[in-house]
Amino acid sequence: MLNNQGRPTSAGEAAAHAHPTFTGNRALIIEEALLFEIGRAETTGVDIPAPKAVKSRLGGQERKAPIGLVGLSEPETMRHFVRLSSKNYGIDTGLFPLGSCTMKHNPRLNEKMARLPGFADIHPLQPQSTVQGALELIEMLAHYLMTLTGTEAVAMSPKAGAHGELCGMMAIKAAIEAKGEGETRRVVLVPDSAHGTNPATAALIGFEVKPVPARADGTVHVKDVKKLLGPDVAAIMLTNPNTCGIFEPEIVEIARAMKKAGAYFYCDGANFNAIVGKAKPGDLGIDCMHINLHKTFSTPHGGGGPGAGPVVLSKRLAPFAPVPFIRRKGKRLELVEHVADAGKATPFGRITAFHGQMGMYVRALAYMLSHGADGMKQASEDAVLSANYIRAGLQDLMSVPFPKHPSMHEALFDDTWLKDTGVTTLDFAKAMIDEGYHPMTMYFPLIVHGAMLVEPTESESRASLDLFIMALRDLAMRAKRGETERFSGAPFHAPRRRLDETRAARNPILRWTPPRPIQQAAE
Ligand SMILES: *Cc1c(COP(=O)(O)O)cnc(C)c1O
């Protein structure tokens, strides 16, 4: 748009002058209806000849009415999905500062390797003699995971961090039962600052969760842990570096105390990306830890899956690792599929149908090999440097709840600085959308009031970090100047504005009801 002096106007000015359009579209921001709303059941884009009559072998189970799927031509279908995909904000779109989630770049080399037909086109039910290369790759990745963490074993099959937690806690449960203490050790200690998956995992397999109270400095103190230790405690689930972005200073003492009490140390390894190549969790005394390959080792997050969350195990938990696992037999590798074939080991069972996510294994190994030991160490250092750069660039305007501790891979702010401005953490996050950023993690960890957790990762250039800092400084100064309308109405430029999240949560519409014509066709 040109203004009357012939100068192009900014996007903000243009939006202020925008008129409603006939289609509801705004240039490249296109309204997209549901597939079921743009297609019709009675039309289809393909012509398939009517099938010859055959005798059904479904024993009366066959569908009696039309399925009611919509028919669309190929270009209509293509446009629908491409338009939807362009509404997504991803790491390939811009800086994605979600704390704890580690949204780092997914190198294209990883993708190229994962698409090699020898990895991409194999099937889990193929004879093992035909997939020796794939087994070798899984073995190699397992070896590096154990090397980087300083541990004795690794269960490769879990499909995500939370699934890895389940796997690790089941190994702990099996170890306790093997010692005949299954009836007495019923309690799992979980700090108040933990990710919600930790207490959920412990509760899911029948443990009683006892919170370790949060200290004012954002860390867990061995004194507080010792007060809760007794013959009834099975384990502690502790995140390190923790969810406040701080390296737990008393982690070694905590590990010793757990061991002395006959209990286990589950470490939530979601933040391993801060310390790869710098510290080995095994050396710190942990018993098991999941590794989110999609956080630390750059595999795609992929909308909740497909993920991979291998769990490394200490010597005392190694025998309880689930099947399947890989074993060397002479020159060949074999996948041990059944508990009865496990030899001296005593697997707790199985938690996935097959061996895990091959595509993610290939990507993670490609990341490791392309970085090398020095490169992975540098990635951790750069991630920590980026987070501290952001903290240093904002801390004169935004309050830092734990100023005494240096940040690891993420910078944590609270909402003290927003006091009396009439702007909340939520408002501030929504205003970031107008600036073209995905908001940071809000209101987590729960122990920090109005928390804002920013994790830039090592992927960002200095220029990208500078622009982000400037954008946030501009917003922060506007908040302090009392420009509340800029925040309470944000986002102004997104396809949708503020949604009624309370109503959506209280009154969710979980079922799509077909419009008339499709309903009739299905009857
Ligand atoms: C991400 C995360 C998890 C869960 O991992 P998923 O792979 O998302 O299941 C657990 N704990 C912490 C601290 C995390 O950041």
Side-chain angles (χ1 to χ4, degrees):
M1 194 193 276
L2 297 180
N3 69 11
N4 53 13
Q5 272 106 42
R7 272 191 304 113
T9 56
S10 74
E13 281 172 60
H17 298 138
H19 53 80
T21 58
F22 178 76
T23 53
N25 301 335
R26 280 179 291 148
L28 290 179
I29 304 179
I30 295 181
E31 283 298 313
E32 193 61 28
L34 296 176
L35 202 53
F36 286 88
E37 288 161 353
I38 54 177
R40 298 172 72 85
E42 59 271 32
T43 61
T44 170
V46 284
D47 286 326
I48 305 174
K52 282 202 207 97
V54 286
K55 213 172 132 236
S56 170
R57 285 179 292 166
L58 293 173
Q61 296 300 312
E62 57 273 45
R63 177 182 290 282
K64 299 281 185 322
I67 194 168
L69 286 182
V70 291
L72 288 170
S73 67
E74 184 169 312
E76 285 172 318
T77 312
M78 201 64 208
R79 282 179 191 157
H80 174 73
F81 286 108
V82 171
R83 283 171 174 181
L84 281 187
S85 74
S86 71
K87 295 191 192 309
N88 208 3
Y89 190 98
I91 189 62
D92 296 338
T93 323
L95 189 154
F96 206 136
L98 270 185
S100 211
C101 297
T102 316
M103 309 301 286
K104 63 163 80 172
H105 174 61
N106 311 141
R108 289 311 179 261
L109 178 65
N110 300 359
E111 299 303 319
K112 200 170 165 186
M113 294 301 111
R115 281 166 179 69
L116 291 174
F119 296 129
D121 296 345
I122 52 177
H123 192 279
L125 293 177
Q126 246 173 273
Q128 293 187 14
S129 62
T130 65
V131 291
Q132 286 291 307
L135 296 181
E136 186 89 39
L137 181 138
I138 301 174
E139 258 302 83
M140 196 187 241
L141 177 63
H143 166 77
Y144 286 128
L145 290 175
M146 290 185 286
T147 308
L148 289 169
T149 53
T151 49
E152 297 279 327
V154 55
M156 293 298 289
S157 62
K159 301 275 173 82
H163 200 210
E165 288 176 35
L166 185 69
C167 176
M169 291 306 289
M170 286 174 84
I172 288 177
K173 197 168 192 202
I176 288 170
E177 281 166 4
K179 285 194 280 189
E181 297 175 345
E183 294 299 313
T184 46
R185 294 195 183 267
R186 311 279 319 134
V187 171
V188 171
L189 307 178
V190 183
D192 281 336
S193 58
H195 195 268
T197 49
N198 293 184
T201 298
L204 186 73
I205 51 176
F207 285 115
E208 181 198 330
V209 177
K210 253 196 204 161
V212 185
R215 282 277 176 157
D217 68 350
T219 68
V220 175
H221 290 205
V222 68
K223 261 194 288 183
D224 298 333
V225 174
K226 278 185 177 161
K227 264 188 232 152
L228 297 168
L229 278 179
D232 58 336
V233 174
I236 190 168
M237 295 183 85
L238 186 67
T239 309
N240 187 55
N242 69 20
T243 57
C244 303
I246 302 169
F247 192 98
E248 286 291 353
E250 298 186 0
I251 185 166
V252 173
E253 290 76 16
I254 293 171
R256 277 199 203 117
M258 295 312 293
K259 202 159 279 174
K260 200 160 158 231
Y264 293 88
F265 184 167
Y266 185 97
C267 184
D268 181 327
N271 297 334
F272 187 43
N273 65 308
I275 58 169
V276 175
K278 307 288 285 184
K280 294 184 177 185
D283 294 348
L284 302 173
I286 65 123
D287 284 299
C288 63
M289 179 179 98
H290 71 260
I291 300 167
N292 313 60
L293 295 188
H294 49 288
K295 292 179 181 173
T296 300
F297 295 108
S298 82
T299 68
H301 285 242
V311 182
V312 291
L313 302 161
S314 66
K315 202 171 187 166
R316 40 185 207 151
L317 287 182
F320 303 97
V323 287
F325 59 81
I326 295 172
R327 185 161 61 189
R328 203 165 275 282
K329 193 177 178 194
K331 277 200 165 149
R332 305 194 77 78
L333 292 168
E334 63 171 356
L335 202 54
V336 178
E337 294 270 9
H338 304 287
V339 174
D341 301 333
K344 276 199 214 111
T346 48
F348 71 71
R350 162 188 283 277
I351 62 163
T352 62
F354 295 114
H355 53 273
Q357 291 291 3
M358 192 65 208
M360 297 302 137
Y361 299 157
V362 180
R363 288 174 176 88
L365 186 65
Y367 176 86
M368 288 180 177
L369 295 179
S370 56
H371 278 65
D374 55 339
M376 282 189 280
K377 181 167 164 237
Q378 193 189 333
S380 304
E381 287 170 352
D382 290 352
V384 172
L385 183 61
S386 295
N388 282 284
Y389 189 71
I390 284 182
R391 172 168 158 173
L394 293 171
Q395 65 187 1
D396 59 322
L397 287 174
M398 295 167 66
S399 42
V400 173
F402 308 118
K404 271 205 328 233
H405 293 283
S407 292
M408 293 297 289
H409 59 299
E410 48 199 2
L412 177 60
F413 303 95
D414 63 18
D415 64 357
T416 317
W417 68 280
L418 285 171
K419 195 164 175 286
D420 302 327
T421 60
V423 175
T424 65
T425 290
L426 181 73
D427 296 334
F428 190 75
K430 295 290 185 194
M432 284 171 69
I433 298 175
D434 283 336
E435 299 293 335
Y437 289 112
H438 191 288
M440 66 275 150
T441 291
M442 301 177 294
Y443 302 113
F444 177 81
L446 302 177
I447 57 168
V448 172
H449 198 270
M452 293 171 237
L453 187 61
V454 178
E455 178 173 12
T457 82
E458 71 279 10
S459 302
E460 299 304 322
S461 65
R462 168 117 184 239
S464 159
L465 295 176
D466 282 337
L467 184 62
F468 180 73
I469 290 169
M470 290 308 175
L472 261 59
R473 290 188 68 84
D474 180 69
L475 285 178
M477 287 187 292
R478 287 177 192 281
K480 290 189 183 200
R481 278 205 299 267
E483 295 179 26
T484 46
E485 66 298 341
R486 173 139 188 165
F487 296 90
S488 57
F492 292 96
H493 301 299
R496 290 290 178 275
R497 303 283 302 279
R498 218 47 97 91
L499 304 179
D500 187 343
E501 290 170 26
T502 312
R503 209 171 110 219
R506 294 258 163 87
N507 200 4
I509 300 168
L510 300 174
R511 200 186 168 129
W512 177 77
T513 15
R516 288 292 323 145
I518 296 176
Q519 229 164 17
Q520 279 159 3
E523 274 157 12

